[in-house]
Amino acid sequence: MILKAKNYLEKYFGYKEFRKGQELIIGSILEKKDTVGVMPTGGGKSLCYQIPALCFPGLTIVISPLISLMKDQIDFLHSINYPAELLNSTVNQQKQREIVNLIEQNQLKLLYLTPERFKNENFLNWISKQNISLFAIDEAHCISEWGHDFRVEYRKLNDIIKKMGRPPVLALTATATEEVRSDIVKTLALDKPNIYVSGFNRDNLIYGAQNHLTEEEKNKAVIEFINKISGAGIIYTSSIKNAENLYYILNSNLKKKIGVYHGSVEPLKRKKIQEDFLNNQIDVLIATNAFGMGVNKPDIRFVVHYSIPGTIEAYYQETGRAGRDGKTSYCLLMEYQDDIDIQDFFIQAKNPTIDEMEIVLANIKKHSKNKTLYTDDYELLSDGENLSNFKIDAIVKQLNFMGFIESDYIPEDRVEVRFNSDKTIFKKDNFIEELFSLKNDNESQLSVQLKYLSKRFDLSEKMINEKLVSLKKDKVINFNIIKAGKVIKIVKGQFSNDEKKLYHEKVVVKIKHDKEKLKSVIKYASLYNECRRKYLLNYFGEEFKEPK
């Protein structure tokens, strides 16, 4: 079977041999064994499910956390005529039907999904009836509460796997300690899995650290560092404020093209900035951790952590974006006390108290009665309490995980229209007549994407809204605009005493755990006359071999 796998490797990807670690993982999967693979960023994890998918008779499902990540993978696979597709909120209905037909005719080998897709019961029932040969989970550290990027939806994947008849499972990640690996195995209920940890030693990466007493000293040092290195680089900061301030400083002091990327930049502009960086139109990109996952630029010559990160896992994943072409690249970590204080703030914010949880739950209960409530309705969710947006996000995440709320994702703005007048009146207005014709006969109202109405009537969304407002004033219709985003639905409105106690105990343990993680980063930054490479490899459970 491994010979067959190598034939597919050469046919589709042009390689004759697998990289270190790939063949072990692929061999295990081909034997239909549950498998956990820990490989570094840029180590070729995706081949570990793309090749077995071609060897198996049925469909391989791949769970991925980011839509943009899936899109990049699919664009590449289509370019080499690999039979793969994705299903998510960006795919229109016609394309979805085409994909369903391909799967039912067994003409598709690989299907990318987000975990949220399984919230649709009809989809879950349908996909469970298909011939599933492999269930692969990318970025599997998202499963673990002890991981640096825990996601609630990943935690529920075991129930999905059971529903599908328990096909072999492949869990892949670039950053998982022994603790996280154990949590992945336990949460997914893997059956005596083969676990492979390999390839953490990136010989071409040069690791360094600096300790600074003032921000001015740190800024001078980062300018000096960048001037010494030619080629593209990324500078990671811990906050949007730091990113913007550093952008101004570097723009004023460097003869390089500087870009800035973070969550507050408008989505289309963010996309343009990323494309400019990938196409060498930007030399130095200053970014928060919102940037990087799935970005494939092989010639990044340096990664600077201007602010100390909260975990070694995050640090290693981000530095792993440097030097994927195998050429010498530099990874610099800058330690400064104010940055450590920011990480301490993040630890407290992402581990809210039970009192804070109860406040937000009460506000959800109060405000969701009369309106659609979104996860980013921060003013309503805090309702006058001193809670940061960061903390509210953490609370909503925990309430979801504990089953007090659920969230549904609305991919695009929708309009819900209720018709008040007799249909005969509509004849006087072509707009309302056609609007009415879009409604199903057995339904009392119309629910449709605003973008669709704009295209259908060849009017801007603003003009569509104005027409609807006018019709509402004439009492012909009532309507609501349901904006895109994550909608909160309350499931249970109150904590029991036992739930309060269990949560408090859990948070005490979690805060201690997170502080230990931060101490590991501080220790790494403070190493003197010790090998940082050895420290990183030992942290992830890989043996360090002294160069001969």
Side-chain angles (χ1 to χ4, degrees):
M1 190 74 107
I2 200 69
L3 185 60
K4 186 178 181 182
K6 287 184 177 180
N7 288 337
Y8 281 126
L9 179 69
E10 186 169 10
K11 177 183 175 182
Y12 283 97
F13 301 95
Y15 304 118
K16 290 188 176 181
E17 295 294 336
F18 291 109
R19 289 186 191 178
K20 181 182 177 183
Q22 285 178 331
E23 188 164 336
L24 288 171
I25 293 170
I26 290 169
S28 175
I29 286 299
L30 292 178
E31 291 175 2
K32 300 184 178 179
K33 289 278 295 178
D34 285 348
T35 306
V36 177
V38 185
M39 298 175 71
T41 301
K45 293 189 298 297
S46 56
L47 281 178
C48 294
Y49 52 77
Q50 288 165 351
I51 294 297
L54 294 166
C55 298
F56 287 140
L59 180 70
T60 290
I61 287 175
V62 181
I63 303 301
S64 181
L66 292 179
I67 289 173
S68 58
L69 191 59
M70 290 186 203
K71 179 73 168 55
D72 291 343
Q73 291 263 11
I74 284 294
D75 287 346
F76 168 70
L77 292 176
H78 283 175
S79 74
I80 60 172
N81 296 315
Y82 184 109
E85 289 292 351
L86 61 82
L87 280 176
N88 58 44
S89 57
T90 67
V91 181
N92 63 46
Q93 290 296 319
Q94 182 180 341
K95 181 65 175 175
Q96 287 189 37
R97 284 192 291 271
E98 290 174 7
I99 293 170
V100 165
N101 288 335
L102 286 172
I103 292 170
E104 290 180 341
Q105 293 165 21
N106 202 28
Q107 293 181 20
L108 207 64
K109 301 307 291 181
L110 201 68
L111 180 66
Y112 285 89
L113 300 169
T114 60
E116 291 83 0
R117 187 75 186 179
F118 297 108
K119 287 183 178 180
N120 184 319
E121 283 292 328
N122 290 334
F123 173 78
L124 178 55
N125 290 333
W126 170 78
I127 197 71
S128 299
K129 293 172 185 174
Q130 308 310 309
N131 180 18
I132 309 298
S133 291
L134 174 65
F135 195 96
I137 304 166
D138 204 2
E139 308 297 339
H141 58 271
C142 296
I143 290 167
S144 175
E145 281 191 272
W146 308 112
H148 67 283
D149 195 18
F150 168 58
R151 302 192 183 205
V152 172
E153 295 82 4
Y154 264 66
R155 199 77 175 174
K156 301 171 183 176
L157 287 175
N158 186 38
D159 292 335
I160 308 300
I161 294 166
K162 285 180 184 175
K163 178 92 174 175
M164 291 182 175
R166 213 53 192 71
V169 176
L170 170 61
L172 288 166
T173 178
T175 53
T177 58
E178 186 174 347
E179 178 183 42
V180 172
R181 296 197 295 271
S182 297
D183 199 19
I184 290 169
V185 170
K186 181 181 176 182
T187 303
L188 293 175
L190 300 185
D191 181 23
K192 298 176 183 176
N194 289 327
I195 300 175
Y196 300 103
V197 181
S198 65
F200 276 94
N201 188 16
R202 298 278 305 281
D203 289 331
N204 62 313
L205 298 187
I206 309 300
Y207 298 101
Q210 297 175 351
N211 304 94
H212 296 287
L213 298 175
T214 67
E215 191 167 359
E216 183 182 8
E217 179 188 300
K218 187 169 70 161
N219 291 335
K220 286 180 180 177
V222 77
I223 291 167
E224 183 180 331
F225 176 81
I226 294 169
N227 275 327
K228 287 179 179 177
I229 301 172
S230 59
I234 305 171
I235 304 177
Y236 282 106
T237 69
S238 59
S239 69
I240 291 170
K241 182 180 177 182
N242 277 348
E244 291 289 349
N245 287 345
L246 187 60
Y247 173 73
Y248 173 77
I249 290 166
L250 296 191
N251 242 347
S252 305
N253 290 278
L254 290 173
K255 294 178 181 178
K256 292 178 182 271
K257 289 169 279 189
I258 314 295
V260 63
Y261 184 109
H262 52 69
S264 291
V265 177
E266 191 268 328
L268 286 177
K269 188 176 179 184
R270 265 205 319 265
K271 185 179 179 183
K272 176 70 165 57
I273 291 166
Q274 178 170 315
E275 287 172 353
D276 285 349
F277 181 64
L278 295 177
N279 295 322
N280 300 315
Q281 300 301 306
I282 288 175
D283 300 314
V284 180
L285 186 63
I286 303 163
T288 61
N289 62 5
F291 177 82
M293 191 178 284
V295 173
N296 188 16
K297 182 175 172 61
D299 59 345
I300 294 173
R301 292 280 71 88
F302 66 87
V303 171
V304 174
H305 280 82
Y306 179 81
S307 313
I308 199 165
T311 66
I312 289 290
E313 289 91 333
Y315 171 74
Y316 182 83
Q317 188 172 47
E318 287 160 1
T319 56
R321 287 164 191 146
R324 292 191 184 181
D325 56 5
K327 295 181 181 178
T328 300
S329 302
Y330 300 88
C331 305
L332 175 63
L333 174 62
M334 305 184 112
E335 184 185 17
Y336 173 53
Q337 184 58 48
D338 284 8
D339 298 329
I340 296 172
D341 294 342
I342 289 173
Q343 290 301 332
D344 281 327
F345 164 79
F346 285 156
I347 289 171
Q348 295 302 321
K350 70 181 182 181
N351 293 291
T353 65
I354 189 64
D355 290 340
E356 291 166 335
M357 296 272 283
E358 288 189 293
I359 288 168
V360 172
L361 182 60
N363 290 337
I364 291 171
K365 191 175 178 181
K366 173 183 173 183
H367 293 294
S368 61
K369 286 180 181 177
N370 303 315
K371 72 183 295 292
T372 304
L373 190 66
Y374 293 82
T375 55
D376 60 355
D377 283 332
Y378 296 115
E379 287 189 14
L380 295 176
L381 292 169
S382 62
D383 205 8
E385 297 288 338
N386 185 26
L387 297 171
S388 68
N389 293 357
F390 187 90
K391 177 158 280 189
I392 289 171
D393 287 339
I395 292 170
V396 168
K397 189 175 185 179
Q398 276 296 332
L399 289 173
N400 191 343
F401 176 57
M402 295 174 73
F404 286 88
I405 62 171
E406 291 178 347
S407 59
D408 284 336
Y409 179 64
I410 299 174
E412 293 183 350
D413 290 353
R414 298 185 67 83
V415 58
E416 292 183 348
V417 183
R418 291 172 296 282
F419 301 90
N420 298 334
S421 300
D422 189 87
K423 187 178 178 182
T424 54
I425 299 174
F426 300 161
K427 303 282 186 187
K428 298 176 183 177
D429 187 320
N430 289 335
F431 177 81
I432 188 64
E433 184 180 33
E434 189 164 353
L435 198 65
F436 188 84
S437 72
L438 296 175
K439 180 182 74 68
N440 291 333
D441 292 339
N442 59 343
E443 293 180 354
S444 60
Q445 69 179 36
L446 169 68
S447 179
V448 64
Q449 287 183 355
L450 198 56
K451 185 186 286 185
Y452 173 79
L453 291 182
S454 176
K455 189 175 179 180
R456 173 123 183 180
F457 291 102
D458 196 23
L459 297 170
S460 68
E461 291 183 13
K462 182 181 179 183
M463 291 174 72
I464 292 287
N465 191 60
E466 288 171 353
K467 276 189 168 289
L468 293 173
V469 168
S470 176
L471 289 167
K472 186 175 182 178
K473 283 181 181 177
D474 293 341
K475 298 185 178 179
V476 177
I477 65 165
N478 279 314
F479 80 96
N480 287 315
I481 300 289
I482 310 297
K483 69 174 185 174
K486 273 193 172 182
V487 175
I488 298 174
K489 292 184 177 180
I490 193 155
V491 176
K492 190 167 64 171
Q494 194 170 346
F495 283 88
S496 69
N497 288 332
D498 284 346
E499 285 169 332
K500 289 180 187 179
K501 183 182 176 184
L502 284 170
Y503 178 75
H504 174 72
E505 290 171 354
K506 173 184 164 183
V507 165
V508 169
V509 173
K510 185 68 166 53
I511 289 174
K512 182 180 178 182
H513 175 272
D514 290 348
K515 286 187 174 182
E516 288 300 318
K517 290 280 185 184
L518 179 58
K519 282 181 184 177
S520 295
V521 187
I522 295 169
K523 182 178 178 181
Y524 170 85
S526 305
L527 290 177
Y528 182 72
N529 283 341
E530 292 180 61
C531 179
R532 290 192 169 82
R533 189 183 307 279
K534 179 180 179 180
Y535 185 93
L536 291 174
L537 294 180
N538 290 347
Y539 183 88
F540 288 110
E542 186 171 341
E543 184 184 354
F544 174 74
K545 294 178 181 177
E546 295 282 356
K548 293 179 181 179

